[in-house]
Amino acid sequence: MTTTRHLTILTGASRGMGLAMARQLLTPDLQLLCISRRASDELNELAKKKGAALTQWTQDLADTGGAAARLQAWLETLDTKTLQSATLINNAGVIPRIGPLEDCPPEDLANALRVGLEAPMQLTAAFLRATGAWVEKGWRGPRKVLNISSGLGRNAMAAQAPYCAAKAGMDHFTRCSALDEARREHGARLVSLAPGVIDTDMQSQLRAGDPAAFPDRSRFVELQRQGQLTSPDDAATRVLAWLQRADFGTQPVADVRD
């Protein structure tokens, strides 16, 4: 008897909400591929305890073409008879030096846009190509892409041009690709989801910004002081619950707080 599983691919799984999502996704009925700069021994041990199928790649997502080619080649090797569904979660992102755009080193700016925008686009394209070929051969499992966006993609903030631009681009390419997939029979469903304000290393980085270069720093300090930050575990639960909504994809740009 063939064992069938749900396939999920998750980027940025080594820390923060990504790590929390990976922990929650480790179940016997799911096959999980994590793509991060480093592998997690914790996830390997947890997968063994839970009897979950886990693969971890150490991959620099700034190598966007290499990451996408690797993903597509891997997807093409899978036996679709063992898969009930396929999901890609683009979670990885980078905040470069906090300050006005002209103060951001060119290499940091390029890296933030590669990891935060180009990589999700390349990985989504590879995922849609490979799984679209499955559909052409008769596979009928649901296909989903969940892009982890941010309120900063929808609201401008001083000293955050690279990150805001990457997330705004993520929102808009999700809208465009959702329109493309809606024209196809058995097309994939896509959502760019803002997960709320989460207590992660990224928040620590923002609170540590130079007040002279980052006029909104006090806002992030107050969010922590007033206990308004969501824990990575709670945020992961809310994001993964969104994936299971019956109306997933009908609103391609969304916020968990809606």
Side-chain angles (χ1 to χ4, degrees):
M1 181 178 176
T2 301
T3 300
T4 57
R5 288 188 167 102
H6 299 278
L7 170 66
T8 297
I9 302 142
L10 171 65
T11 69
S14 62
R15 62 180 183 173
M17 188 180 73
L19 178 58
M21 283 194 288
R23 290 194 197 104
Q24 294 179 29
L25 286 165
L26 287 174
T27 57
D29 67 342
L30 189 139
Q31 180 177 352
L32 178 62
L33 168 63
C34 292
I35 306 175
S36 304
R37 283 181 296 175
R38 55 186 176 276
S40 167
D41 292 336
E42 175 193 347
L43 288 180
N44 282 332
E45 289 301 314
L46 189 58
K48 290 176 184 177
K49 290 179 182 177
K50 292 189 171 185
L54 171 67
T55 301
Q56 294 195 75
W57 290 352
T58 53
Q59 173 73 51
D60 184 358
L61 290 176
D63 176 14
T64 58
R70 186 180 183 186
L71 177 61
Q72 183 166 343
W74 183 79
L75 288 169
E76 289 171 350
T77 69
L78 299 182
D79 181 0
T80 56
K81 292 191 297 293
T82 68
L83 300 175
Q84 297 182 51
S85 67
T87 299
L88 169 64
I89 305 175
N90 285 307
N91 168 69
V94 174
I95 289 184
R97 181 182 298 182
I98 298 170
L101 183 61
E102 64 269 24
D103 293 341
C104 184
E107 61 274 16
D108 289 0
L109 172 59
N111 185 66
L113 292 176
R114 287 194 191 107
V115 175
L117 179 56
E118 186 181 341
M121 293 185 76
Q122 291 269 27
L123 292 173
T124 297
F127 176 83
L128 294 175
R129 275 193 298 269
T131 60
W134 299 353
V135 171
E136 290 176 3
K137 295 176 182 178
W139 187 78
R140 291 295 179 262
R143 296 179 297 143
K144 299 178 183 179
V145 177
L146 177 61
N147 292 320
I148 303 302
S149 185
S150 169
L152 292 184
R154 302 156 200 182
N155 300 282
M157 179 173 286
Q160 290 293 303
Y163 186 76
C164 288
K167 293 304 185 183
M170 174 179 275
D171 285 350
H172 215 47
F173 101 72
T174 302
R175 291 185 180 100
C176 294
S177 293
L179 290 173
D180 289 333
E181 290 299 306
R183 297 175 62 243
R184 299 187 172 106
E185 189 175 7
H186 306 296
R189 290 175 283 165
L190 297 92
V191 172
S192 187
L193 183 68
V197 187
I198 309 165
D199 192 8
T200 62
D201 291 344
M202 197 170 286
Q203 283 289 318
S204 299
Q205 185 180 349
L206 291 168
R207 292 193 298 271
D210 178 3
F214 185 27
D216 287 292
R217 173 183 173 273
S218 60
R219 170 186 167 189
F220 294 94
V221 171
E222 282 301 301
L223 285 172
Q224 183 197 40
R225 189 183 69 80
Q226 296 175 13
Q228 294 184 26
L229 299 178
T230 305
S231 73
D233 287 335
D234 287 346
T237 298
R238 294 171 71 182
V239 166
L240 294 178
W242 199 279
L243 263 173
Q244 304 307 317
R245 289 172 56 129
D247 63 348
F248 181 91
T250 56
Q251 184 180 352
V253 174
D255 191 307
V256 293
R257 294 163 292 190
D258 292 341

